[in-house]
Amino acid sequence: APEPLRDHKPQQAPRGPARPSMAAALPALALGAGLLVAAWRWLWGAARPRRGGSMRGKTVIITGANSGLGRAAAAELLRMQARVIMGCRDRARAERAAREIQAEVGERADDAGELVVRELDLASLRSVRAFCHRVLQEESRLDVLINNAGIFQCPYMKTEDGFEMQFGVNHLGHFLLTNLLLGLLKNSAPSRIVVVSSKLYKYGEINFEDLNSEISYNKSFCYSRSKLANILFARELARRLEGTGVTVNSLHPGIVRTNLGRHVNIPLLAKPLFNLVSWAFFKTPLEGAQTSIYLASSPDVEGVSGKYFGDCKEEELLPKAMDDLVARKLWDISEVMVGLLKKKAEVKEKTEKKAPQINILPRNVEYQAVIKEKACLSDEHNQQCSLPPCDIVPVPGPSENFIKSNKTLTLAVIPLVSQVRHPELD
């Protein structure tokens, strides 16, 4: 009998060795690329610091000097024998960092500089004023101010004074700090101001209708806006300080491995790959701090002001970062926000009371003399009061303020109607 039919399956070709998946290959590729980048940096000396001359006898303030770029800059400037004041929010962390820096420098006390820790919270205008008050009391000179501290893409929160955190810390805090220390910097000229910005300024816009991000908030955009504000501030300050001997320059450090991105959420599974990529392609803090150190110490940039640097070289800015009208408007608004404008108005008012302006009384116009709230009318020819006599208040010299109103001039006080003359009128 014929055999029953059976199901026959086609024979499969023998399998070869399993091929690695693309996901498994990515770490290997990243590691290989990282090794190549590390080798290139070593061969071309990218990791070697570029020091300027000796900083002996010079005082440097660095904000945010307990970690990252600020810490690296503090260590290098200490090696260059500078007196470095670390302005930091957390005093305990700053003192720990100072001990570590001094241990790393490891040089004899007479060869190294001096490291000083001072509390400074840029999210508090009160703290900024207290820091500056102490500096002005204790320091006889200030040669370099490095505005380094910053906060990066944090959730929406406000400073002690009610400002959006990134704009408040990155721009307004440093704006007030710099203005309060300008007198000491001018007295110490030639001196330098270094403003640490970011390449991400390119994605920011200055929206004067919502500087405090109360209408809308995007943490990436707000960071970029604060970095654009840094550049505009530096350029406007450089313009205002022309001829004083104080130079102002801004910079970007590049992409650096620091704790600045602590508010950036990276998926847990992606962290190993991110760490590998950052190790391979990001700068170390010392590499990132090189442009700050260069602008603070190098004789190559003596007298250079109002420029933007990266990798110790001058770079071009986008037009929006060179808009002088926006820079001046931002300056004026920042003065109001941090309370500088009110202080200036008070000082001006006191000065005017002590030494009033002298304005010249024009010829052939009627004028009115207001004395003890009584009035006299006269003209230049007859110099007689057409109203009953007034009480006369003697004033030493022509120190009156004249305010023109139509064809009549109102005088605050005058000695005698007949004596209201000025040598330039004769």
Side-chain angles (χ1 to χ4, degrees), residues 117-131:
V117 174
R118 294 286 180 263
E119 187 174 341
L120 170 63
D121 184 1
L122 290 161
S124 166
L125 300 183
R126 174 185 50 80
S127 175
V128 173
R129 291 190 178 94
F131 172 85

Side-chain angles (χ1 to χ4, degrees), residues 147-260:
N147 291 340
N148 166 82
I151 188 168
F152 178 73
Q153 295 190 8
C154 62
Y156 184 77
M157 57 182 76
K158 291 187 176 183
T159 68
E160 178 181 289
D161 305 279
F163 306 127
E164 185 274 313
M165 185 63 71
Q166 294 187 91
F167 190 74
V169 170
N170 299 351
H171 171 62
L172 291 176
H174 283 120
F175 179 87
L176 178 61
L177 174 77
T178 306
N179 273 281
L180 294 179
L181 296 177
L182 273 184
L184 187 56
L185 285 160
K186 289 178 181 178
N187 292 336
S188 307
S191 53
R192 306 181 183 190
I193 300 171
V194 180
V195 180
V196 180
S197 183
S198 167
K199 275 188 173 181
L200 294 176
Y201 86 86
K202 299 176 181 180
Y203 306 103
E205 299 290 341
I206 304 297
N207 178 11
F208 289 109
E209 301 301 320
D210 191 27
L211 278 180
N212 213 32
S213 300
E214 295 177 344
I215 299 175
S216 63
Y217 179 74
N218 178 288
K219 63 182 183 180
S220 300
F221 167 78
C222 287
Y223 176 77
S224 297
R225 179 172 62 188
S226 71
K227 296 290 104 178
L228 175 59
N230 288 157
I231 297 173
L232 292 168
F233 163 60
R235 286 177 56 84
E236 174 64 11
L237 181 59
R239 185 188 68 81
R240 290 170 180 251
L241 292 177
E242 288 179 0
T244 64
V246 184
T247 60
V248 190
N249 292 291
S250 59
L251 68 100
H252 76 81
I255 306 176
V256 187
R257 296 195 302 272
T258 68
N259 64 350
L260 188 65

Side-chain angles (χ1 to χ4, degrees), residues 6 13 32 70 99 109 116 137 212 215 244 248 250 255 293 305 337 355:
R6 297 178 180 177
R99 290 192 296 269
V116 180
Q137 280 190 324
N212 213 32
I215 299 175
T244 64
V248 190
S250 59
I255 306 176
I293 298 166
S305 191
M337 294 178 80

